Structure formats: C-alpha cells, structure tokens
C-alpha cells in the first residue's frame, strides 16, 4: 500500500466535552488484558517485517503525527475516518498502531466500527467480547496483548449491537476514552464509514483529533468533501488527509 499524506486546515476549536455518569465512573481505571495473545495476520506485514521498504510511508505518517502531538503528558488519541467502505481504513489503523508500538510506546488499537468490524480478523481472534459489550453492560474492556509487540493492546469491537451510534455517543464510552488517555501513550481508533453512518462523527467529537482517509480512484470527491464538512460540526482537529493506493 502506498500512502501519501497531505496537511489539511484544522478546525480552530476544542472538541466538545461530555459529562460522566455513575456507571462511567465505575469503569475508570478498570483496564485489563486477557489471554491468549492475538497474532497479527499475514496481511499485517509491518508486524512481521517492520523494515519492509513498502512501509516507509507508514513510518513517515507516524513521524508527522508525532510532530503534531499536543502534549506528552497524556495519550495522543487519533480516530481514523473515511467516507466509504473499501478504502483501507481498518488496515491503516492496524498498521499505524503497530508503528507506534514498534517504537516501544504503550499503544492501544480500538475497533469502534460496530457495523462491520475488521480488527478481530486482522489479529486472528473471535469477536464475542469487545467494545460494544463493555459499553452496553458496563463490563471491563478486555484488551488483547499482541504477539511480538510487547507494548501493543487490541480492543475488538465485539458482537454487532442493535444501537451502535447510541453506544458510541454515551458517557460510558467517553469515560473509557479518558481512561485510555491515562493508561497509554497512543490510541488509534478505527470507525465505520461516514457516508452511511454517523458513528465516526460521534467518536470524533469525543476524541477531538482525526485523520481523514480516502482511496485513490475510489473515493468520490463529493463524499470526501461532505465528510470534511460534517467533521467541522464535531469541532475536531483534522490532523491531515491520507490518500491510500492499494
């Protein structure tokens, strides 16, 4: 996959704040890992051969994001958004999280695509328990450690719920994000395509920092423009635009 980055105008305002709840408060600090470890699939070549020349663009993107960090005191949380399915958003999310973890930094990859989740497939695990169950039932988020990447954890999406947008707009999810800010250095969040669902916009409003992705000769220009217009309403900072070629 060949990736080009291009800087984009940022939205000059802070992201919206969200109040907590009793249930959300109980979740704070309750982050655990579970066994067995998950194994990166063969598609995630960067996990097996980090110096493959094809992945220099991923490392360049990582550098760009490091330069744009707001603070080193708390985790840098980035949501990846794209307009349409099939644009490589899930793959890039995984590769970017791997790139951060390969620096020896505590990194969490979250699958917040509660419509058609992919991260459990990329890391070869089942999807019975994950983010959706943690939010809906108030259980502790169960994080998978990753074989070969000692500083990386993965939170899969879990079984597809009936109300993804409501879960991702909840105070419980907002509280989880705040916990991640205190327990990791980098958090990368995969989301559902914005053209069909508003889930990614809900995540963006909580996270406040977004990387916009499109696919060359695949993503309609008007769909990308519409996504950027809708993102402006979330008051999120758009860190840059990425064009994928694969």
């Amino acid at each position: 996959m060949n990736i080009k980055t291009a800087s984009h105008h940022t939205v000059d305002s802070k992201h919206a704040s969200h109040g907590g709840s009793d249930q959300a408060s109980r979740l704070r600090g309750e982050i655990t890992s579970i066994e067995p470890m998950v194994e990166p699939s063969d598609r995630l070549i960067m996990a097996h051969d980090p110096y493959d020349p094809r992945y220099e663009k991923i490392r360049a993107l990582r550098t760009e994001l490091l330069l744009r960090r707001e603070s080193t005191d708390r985790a840098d949380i980035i949501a990846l958004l794209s307009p349409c399915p099939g644009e490589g958003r899930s793959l890039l999310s995984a590769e970017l999280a791997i790139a951060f973890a390969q620096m020896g930094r505590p990194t969490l990859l979250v699958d917040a695509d509660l419509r058609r989740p992919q991260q459990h497939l990329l890391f070869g695990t089942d999807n019975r328990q994950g983010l959706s169950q943690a939010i809906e039932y108030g259980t502790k988020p169960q994080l998978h450690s990753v074989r070969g990447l000692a500083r990386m954890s993965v939170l899969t999406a879990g079984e597809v719920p009936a109300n993804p947008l409501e879960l991702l707009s909840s105070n419980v999810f907002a509280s989880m994000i705040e916990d991640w800010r205190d327990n990791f250095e980098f958090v990368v969040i995969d989301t559902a395509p914005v053209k069909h669902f508003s889930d990614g916009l809900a995540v963006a409003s909580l996270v406040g920092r977004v990387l916009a992705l499109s696919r060359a000769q695949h993503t309609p220009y008007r769909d990308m423009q519409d996504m950027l217009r809708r993102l402006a309403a979330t008051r999120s900072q758009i860190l840059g635009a990425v064009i994928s070629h694969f």
Side-chain angles (χ1 to χ4, degrees):
M1 179 172 61
N2 181 23
I3 296 177
K4 298 195 317 184
T5 62
S7 61
H8 194 280
H9 295 297
T10 59
V11 181
D12 188 20
S13 55
K14 295 182 179 179
H15 58 278
S17 62
H18 292 257
S21 65
D22 291 341
Q23 184 184 27
S25 297
R26 288 196 300 271
L27 288 169
R28 294 189 60 80
E30 296 184 347
I31 294 179
T32 59
S33 295
I34 61 173
E35 296 292 344
M37 288 186 174
V38 293
E39 182 83 37
S41 74
D42 292 340
R43 292 184 64 195
L44 296 171
I45 299 174
M46 192 165 185
H48 306 286
D49 185 6
Y51 299 108
D52 188 306
R54 290 174 293 178
Y55 292 93
E56 185 56 39
K57 294 292 185 180
I58 299 292
R59 290 189 288 274
L61 175 60
R62 177 186 66 187
T63 301
E64 289 286 334
L65 295 173
L66 287 170
L67 292 173
R68 294 174 185 170
R69 289 192 71 179
E70 291 182 326
S71 170
T72 57
D73 295 333
R74 304 187 78 199
D76 190 14
I77 304 183
I78 302 168
L80 271 70
L81 271 67
S82 70
C84 307
E87 291 166 325
R89 182 189 57 260
S90 295
L91 186 62
L92 179 58
S93 297
E95 290 172 333
L96 187 57
I98 289 168
F100 283 129
Q102 285 172 340
M103 297 174 64
R105 312 289 183 88
T107 302
L108 173 64
L109 172 64
V110 178
D111 194 344
D113 183 348
L114 304 186
R115 309 283 180 166
R116 296 185 63 183
Q118 297 294 312
Q119 297 302 335
H120 66 289
L121 301 175
L122 290 173
F123 287 90
T125 186
D126 67 65
N127 200 33
R128 289 175 294 180
Q129 292 291 324
L131 177 63
S132 60
Q133 285 71 41
I135 300 174
E136 188 166 10
Y137 301 113
T139 58
K140 292 185 291 186
Q142 296 182 322
L143 310 184
H144 293 274
S145 53
V146 181
R147 191 176 306 279
L149 293 164
R151 307 308 300 273
M152 182 172 173
S153 301
V154 176
L155 176 57
T156 61
E159 293 185 352
V160 175
N163 55 342
L165 180 57
E166 287 73 16
L167 294 182
L168 295 173
S169 303
S170 69
N171 290 329
V172 177
F173 184 49
S175 179
M176 286 183 185
I177 290 172
E178 293 309 305
D179 283 342
W180 299 336
R181 292 189 195 278
D182 294 331
N183 285 276
F184 295 93
E185 192 164 344
F186 297 99
V187 180
V188 180
I189 304 181
D190 188 11
T191 63
V194 174
K195 180 178 179 180
H196 302 297
F197 310 106
S198 296
D199 304 11
L201 300 175
V203 174
S205 70
L206 293 173
V207 170
R209 289 164 66 81
V210 170
L211 195 62
L213 173 69
S214 63
R215 179 179 171 186
Q217 299 182 345
H218 174 86
T219 306
Y221 176 76
R222 64 180 179 276
D223 289 345
M224 188 63 170
Q225 288 297 106
D226 183 62
M227 184 184 80
L228 295 176
R229 178 186 60 78
R230 296 172 68 192
L231 266 172
T234 70
R235 305 168 70 87
S236 301
Q237 180 184 14
I238 303 173
L239 299 174
V242 177
I243 303 172
S244 67
H245 302 256
F246 66 95

